[in-house]
């Protein structure tokens, strides 16, 4: 008798969405716990993937554990579907699932992103999956994992606030840029992943479920729909977002989106364009008539019918 | 608890080790040791009870090994008491504070207690400014207004006679006396009804000691908070405390009005302390 | 205007991959065979098996070939492959005291039961570049092997009984007999942690720590152990025993209870260090403390470093990086560290844009301040 005889054969070398069902179940269990305790980091045994650690394995594992044949997938990096890493992750997921993909965020049931949320507010039933390099917001003041766990457990956030106070004393304002620490559900302090300040408001009382995965650090956490997410601020120094006043996107003309600064070699000058290229394309092609329509949450008939 | 009792302590004990039947007999002031020769258990505190009244300064005097610092650490939740009950008027519906979960203990001490340690390294963070050290206490009490924090920190440092320019200075660049003043300012930040002072002047030069003690006395007169002052020095106790407990080997051996203990100490150990006072 | 077309990313990646392949294949040399790598690059294959966490010289050698010799890249390939494999069964604990010894030394004693077996080691090689290796022909190789085998036959080689595992009693057991080392903890005291299946929390139990070290990157583990040896820590280790050889891998018989089946054997390097004496509370008298290291394949530097770190992490009050288990365990996994290091090459222009905006704000605030 051979060992092979004892083991039932597999029909294909890889399971649907690459991870085996056991691994998917473990991740889903961790995600359920995360959703039940908004902002709390839940550990999980993040398995190795063919993608390098630090390159989105956490987000990928969350997506892999949730995705089904009926899902419509959008993957972006820095807001762009064509960014090298987004392309690579999309390749892997499509190769192992065959699901339909889209560049229109309104069509996506699963939206995996590195460092941005889409300009069009997401709706109920959609899931945003954010890739997280460093899940621990208190790492700013404390290197030890054991100690930061205790700080969360005790709600002992004084040192975090003190560092913000010192920041203002030193610099006149809070110097934290992206990945700004937020209080979730009036309870845990969470890192929203390195999204710009611009995108924090898309988490507060959002209609979508947001899941955040850190593969290398082996943690997942979640912001359920209609949950409060408040950036840490002093009452008398309100939180502000990036300032793009006086600028507009050269491609679609938008004046109310997060804009990338791009250097044009030909002319030697820099210009601005929407970081969210999918949205930019929709505006250019007339599929989103106005910011009001964008923010209303209505999905135009053509997009819904496809 | 009678109406003007702020803090009630009953049967507080702290031991390191499991204890055995012989401990009671073989340790304590009669035996002259804290460590049980049979089982090796160290009894730092045993059966300490007292009431602290509003606006009163209670002195706790004893030598090394008396348990006085351990007592204050138990009251401030730095250390977990092995047994006993602690009640603060108006808090936790009169429940034993030692039974509260850690996060609630932190909130109680943040709002209602101030602590000044003998060694400023324990009470201050050297890697943040003096202002930030005071701010930490305010932030623990949910004061999240930058201007208010800054103004209050400046006000507190001024009240402890620290020059205005030191608001953004780091404690490690300041003298021992200054560091103690910052601790005092921090302890007073939330106007707590109770302030604990553990050997606060013991490391300082004599002239600096005198000024810090004067400051403490004045602040207490102005604000009327209750204090517990721990010292091995009867001179400090005489200056500050209304009533005093004398501790030896973890137990209270004598208690009463400070003046009475000084004039007519009853327990041989108290007599020794009083007569050794310079 | 020069906006990056959405399709550009895909093309760039595909071209890069073609370039990688081209660079590996072009040239006048014959393609490396997996067999060549297994046979002539044993230490590299062993290292990759150890860091990949999978014992299979074939797959490790394949990974080495695909990675063009980069050990971390190869370990990554192997580890990713490992995670696709189904787990069939857990083996019985491996008996290193029954190892078929290839090499076995002790620095603690001059003579030990069974004797010191030097085996194959580079320790006493003179590190002089051998230029004759540049023109090794197949014929010369054949002749050299034949001559060496002939020379071995001439040697007065001890018989098979002298290499019987029973003769090589563990040095640590000797020390235990003499009460110089605390008695061994009870066997099978609970299930070991499996870091690949559970989310192990810090502080980690010893089985979890050892498992993490076993797949840690050799350079990382060496650097931290070196820091301890040089003085950032107080271990003062002596190698009680170092063993390299084959150990049998056995599983419980699938349908005959109480019996075991041998699947095969693997090469393992195992080191036990004896460190400074101390008196721990539970014991009556002082004794030596031990450190343990073991890894797949023949990799002595790693096993020794593991043992030193195992010991240095046992302290309750870490003062040095090598004593702090968070520091050691979170920073020595080659796949994680190299992955995170490399991730900085990904586009960060949105986060950088956010930083630029913040800096401009702070500069404005500072300017306002100086105007007042």
């Amino acid at each position: 008798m051979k060992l092979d005889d004892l083991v039932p054969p597999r029909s294909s070398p890889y399971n649907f969405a690459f991870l085996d069902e056991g691994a998917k179940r473990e991740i889903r269990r961790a995600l359920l716990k995360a959703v039940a305790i908004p902002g709390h980091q839940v550990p999980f045994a993040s398995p190795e993937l063919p993608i390098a650690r630090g390159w989105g394995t956490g987000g990928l594992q969350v997506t892999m554990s949730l995705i089904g044949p009926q899902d419509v997938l959008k993957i972006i990096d820095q807001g762009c579907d064509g960014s090298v890493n987004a392309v690579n992750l999309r390749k892997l997921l499509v190769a192992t699932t065959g699901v339909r993909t889209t560049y229109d965020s309104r069509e996506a049931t699963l939206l995996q992103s590195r460092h941005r949320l889409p300009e069009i507010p997401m709706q109920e039933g959609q899931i945003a999956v954010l890739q997280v390099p460093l899940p621990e917001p208190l790492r700013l003041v404390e290197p030890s994992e054991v100690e930061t766990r205790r700080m969360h457990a005790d709600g002992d956030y004084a040192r975090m606030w003190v560092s913000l106070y010192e920041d203002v004393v030193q610099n006149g304002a809070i110097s934290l840029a992206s990945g700004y620490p937020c209080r979730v559900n009036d309870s845990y302090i969470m890192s929203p992943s390195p999204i710009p300040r611009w995108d924090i408001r898309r988490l507060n009382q959002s209609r979508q479920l947001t899941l955040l995965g850190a593969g290398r650090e082996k943690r997942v956490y979640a912001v359920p729909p209609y949950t409060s997410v408040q950036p840490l601020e002093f009452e008398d120094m309100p939180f502000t977002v990036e300032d793009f006043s006086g600028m507009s996107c050269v491609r679609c003309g938008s004046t109310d989106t997060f804009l990338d600064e791009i250097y044009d070699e030909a002319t030697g000058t820099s210009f601005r364009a929407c970081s969210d290229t999918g949205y930019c394309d929709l505006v250019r092609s007339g599929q989103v008539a106005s910011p009001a329509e964008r923010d209303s949450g209505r999905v135009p008939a053509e997009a819904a019918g496809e | 608890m009678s109406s003007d009792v702020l803090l009630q302590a009953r049967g507080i004990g702290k031991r390191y080790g499991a204890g055995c039947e012989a401990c009671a007999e073989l340790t304590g002031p009669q035996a002259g040791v804290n460590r049980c020769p049979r089982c090796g258990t160290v009894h730092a505190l045993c059966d300490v009870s007292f009431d602290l009244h509003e606006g009163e300064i209670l002195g706790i005097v004893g030598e090394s090994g008396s348990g006085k610092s351990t007592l204050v650490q138990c009251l401030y939740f730095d250390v977990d008491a092995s047994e006993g009950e602690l009640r603060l008027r108006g808090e936790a519906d009169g429940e034993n504070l030692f039974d509260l979960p850690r996060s609630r203990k932190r909130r109680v001490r943040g709002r209602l207690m101030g602590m000044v340690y003998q060694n400023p390294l324990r009470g201050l963070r050297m890697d943040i400014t003096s202002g930030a050290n005071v701010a930490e206490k305010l932030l623990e009490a949910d004061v999240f207004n930058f201007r208010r924090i800054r103004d209050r920190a400046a006000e507190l440092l001024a009240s402890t006679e620290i020059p205005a320019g030191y608001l953004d200075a780091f404690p490690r660049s300041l003298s021992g006396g200054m560091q103690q003043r910052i601790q005092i300012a921090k302890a007073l930040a939330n106007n707590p009804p109770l302030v604990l002072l553990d050997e606060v002047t013991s490391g300082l030069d004599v002239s600096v000691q005198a000024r810090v003690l004067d400051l403490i006395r004045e602040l207490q007169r102005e604000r009327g908070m209750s204090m517990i002052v721990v010292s091995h020095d009867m001179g400090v106790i005489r200056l500050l405390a209304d009533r005093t407990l004398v501790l030896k080997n973890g137990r209270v051996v004598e208690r009463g009005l400070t003046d009475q203990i000084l004039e007519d100490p009853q327990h041989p150990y108290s007599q020794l302390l009083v007569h050794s006072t310079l | 205007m020069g906006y990056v077309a959405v399709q550009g990313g895909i093309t760039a990646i595909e071209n890069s991959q073609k370039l990688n392949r081209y660079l590996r294949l072009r040239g006048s040399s014959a393609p490396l065979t997996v067999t060549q790598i297994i046979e002539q690059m044993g230490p590299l294959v062993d290292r990759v098996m150890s860091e990949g966490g999978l014992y299979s010289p074939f797959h490790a050698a394949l990974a080495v070939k695909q990675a063009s010799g980069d050990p971390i890249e190869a370990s990554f390939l192997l580890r990713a492959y490992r995670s696709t494999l189904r787990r069939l069964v857990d083996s019985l604990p491996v008996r290193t005291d029954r190892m078929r010894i290839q090499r076995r030394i002790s620095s603690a004693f001059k003579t030990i039961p069974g004797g010191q077996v030097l085996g194959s080691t580079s320790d006493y090689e003179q590190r002089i570049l051998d230029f004759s290796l540049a023109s090794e022909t197949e014929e010369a190789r054949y002749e050299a092997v034949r001559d060496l085998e002939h020379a071995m036959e001439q040697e007065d080689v001890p018989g098979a009984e002298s290499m019987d595992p029973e003769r090589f009693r563990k040095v640590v057991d000797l020390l235990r007999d003499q009460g110089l080392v605390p008695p061994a903890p009870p066997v099978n005291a609970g299930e070991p942690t499996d870091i690949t299946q559970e989310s192990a929390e810090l502080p980690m139990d010893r089985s979890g720590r050892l498992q993490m070290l076993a797949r840690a990157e050799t350079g990382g583990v060496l650097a931290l152990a070196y820091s301890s040896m040089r003085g950032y820590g107080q271990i003062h280790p002596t190698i009680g025993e170092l063993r390299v050889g084959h150990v049998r891998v056995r599983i419980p018989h699938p349908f005959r209870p109480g019996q075991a089946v041998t699947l095969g054997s693997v090469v393992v390097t195992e080191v036990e260090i004896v460190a400074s004496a101390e008196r721990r509370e539970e014991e009556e008298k002082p004794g030596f403390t031990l450190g343990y290291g073991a890894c797949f394949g023949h990799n002595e530097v790693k096993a020794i470093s593991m043992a030193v770190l195992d010991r240095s992490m046992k302290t309750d009050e870490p003062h040095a990086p090598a004593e702090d288990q968070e520091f050691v365990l979170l920073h020595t996994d080659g796949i994680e560290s190299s992955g995170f290091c490399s991730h900085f090459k990904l586009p960060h222009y949105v986060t950088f844009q956010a930083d630029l905006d913040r800096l401009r704000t702070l500069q404005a605030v500072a300017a306002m301040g100086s105007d007042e």
Side-chain angles (χ1 to χ4, degrees), chain A residues 141 150 153-166 168-170 183 233-237, chain B residues 102-103 106 125 127-129 131-132 135-136 139-140 143-150 153 167-168 170:
Chain A
V141 296
R150 182 209 60 83
D154 288 352
D156 180 4
Y157 293 131
R159 284 175 56 197
M160 187 65 167
W161 282 101
V162 169
S163 81
L164 295 180
Y165 164 89
E166 287 282 70
V168 175
V169 167
Q170 293 271 7
R183 197 158 193 121
E233 60 184 346
F234 291 109
E235 292 163 0
D236 55 334
M237 304 184 71
Chain B
R102 219 168 47 207
S103 52
R106 287 197 59 260
R125 285 183 36 213
D127 59 338
I128 57 179
T129 60
E136 189 165 5
L139 289 162
E140 269 175 26
V143 178
F144 291 128
N145 184 302
F146 180 79
R147 195 80 257 155
R148 269 229 327 262
I149 291 171
R150 196 132 169 90
L167 185 62
D168 297 333
F170 289 87

Side-chain angles (χ1 to χ4, degrees), chain C residues 220-233:
Chain C
V221 163
L222 174 59
L224 289 175
Y226 181 47
S227 78
S228 171
M229 295 169 204
R230 280 197 71 251
Y232 283 86

Side-chain angles (χ1 to χ4, degrees), chain A residues 21-85:
Chain A
E21 293 305 314
K24 288 186 196 175
R25 264 200 297 275
E26 201 243 336
I27 296 170
R28 286 199 295 263
R29 267 200 294 270
L31 288 172
L32 284 174
K33 186 166 174 181
V35 170
I37 316 173
H40 169 70
Q41 298 167 50
V42 178
F44 75 112
S46 170
E48 254 89 24
L49 291 179
I51 306 282
R53 289 292 192 198
W55 291 58
T57 53
L60 199 54
Q61 284 162 354
V62 170
T63 301
M64 284 173 169
S65 67
L66 296 177
I67 199 165
Q70 308 306 318
D71 274 301
V72 179
L73 178 68
K74 175 172 162 85
I75 303 195
I76 50 175
D77 183 339
Q78 312 292 293
C80 176
D81 306 83
S83 186
V84 282
N85 202 43

Side-chain angles (χ1 to χ4, degrees), chain A residues 1 3 6-10 14 18 20 26 43-45 48-55 77-78 80 82-85 87-88 91 103 114-116 133-134 143-146 149 171-178 194 196-197 216 218-219 240-244 250-251 258-262 264 271-275 277 281, chain C residues 1-14 17 76 79-86 88-89 194-203 212 215 251 254-255 263 324 326 330 333 335-363 365-366:
Chain A
M1 165 157 315
L3 209 51
L6 293 170
V7 176
R10 266 223 267 221
Y14 297 113
F18 191 81
D20 65 86
E26 201 243 336
F44 75 112
E48 254 89 24
L49 291 179
I51 306 282
R53 289 292 192 198
W55 291 58
D77 183 339
Q78 312 292 293
C80 176
S83 186
V84 282
N85 202 43
V87 165
N88 213 21
K91 257 175 73 169
Y103 293 155
R114 179 169 169 266
H115 302 178
R116 282 241 46 212
L134 296 167
S144 162
E145 170 68 22
V146 171
R149 269 214 323 270
N171 297 310
I174 294 179
S175 63
L176 301 174
S178 50
R197 292 164 164 242
R216 188 183 47 85
K218 304 178 183 46
R219 299 271 184 276
T240 54
V241 298
E242 291 81 4
D243 182 12
F244 297 112
V250 286
R251 299 180 73 230
F258 189 93
L259 298 173
D260 293 332
E261 199 171 339
I262 299 173
D264 182 6
F271 58 89
R272 296 273 175 170
C274 290
S275 143
T277 55
D281 285 342
Chain C
M1 63 197 85
Y3 185 85
V4 177
V6 168
Q7 299 304 309
I10 304 172
T11 316
I13 290 181
E14 286 173 356
Q17 287 167 342
F76 183 5
R79 225 194 260 183
Y81 177 66
R82 177 199 194 275
S83 69
T84 66
L85 299 172
R86 280 181 292 179
L88 301 173
V89 67
D194 185 341
I195 58 169
T196 65
Q197 303 230 297
E198 320 158 16
S199 47
E201 296 271 300
L202 289 164
M212 290 196 72
R215 1 189 267 173
I251 57 166
F255 39 83
L263 298 180
D324 179 347
E326 272 191 53
L330 294 181
D333 184 286
I335 279 93
E336 289 183 6
S337 56
S338 64
F340 196 55
C341 175
S342 295
H343 111 285
F344 285 105
K345 293 174 277 180
L346 283 174
H348 279 79
Y349 53 82
V350 164
T351 44
F352 194 65
Q353 187 65 239
D355 290 343
L356 284 172
D357 174 273
R358 229 349 60 185
L359 181 59
R360 288 177 187 137
T361 303
L362 295 181
Q363 284 179 342
V365 167

Side-chain angles (χ1 to χ4, degrees), chain C residues 48-125:
Chain C
V48 169
M49 288 197 298
S50 168
E51 293 172 22
L54 183 69
Y55 194 96
S56 172
F58 170 77
H59 292 95
L62 188 61
V64 166
K65 178 169 174 170
Q66 186 172 336
S68 297
D70 180 332
I72 290 185
E73 186 61 31
S75 309
F76 183 5
L77 282 165
L78 199 63
R79 225 194 260 183
Y81 177 66
R82 177 199 194 275
S83 69
T84 66
L85 299 172
R86 280 181 292 179
R87 302 270 296 243
L88 301 173
V89 67
D90 290 344
S91 75
L92 295 169
V94 147
R95 298 291 303 266
T96 54
D97 58 336
R98 303 232 176 102
M99 186 187 280
R100 262 184 12 248
I101 301 284
Q102 286 173 4
R103 177 162 151 69
R104 186 267 195 150
I105 55 145
S106 169
S107 318
F109 298 103
K110 200 163 164 185
T111 56
I112 42 179
Q116 308 252 16
V117 179
L118 193 63
S120 160
T121 172
S122 55
D123 288 346
Y124 302 101
E125 294 273 17

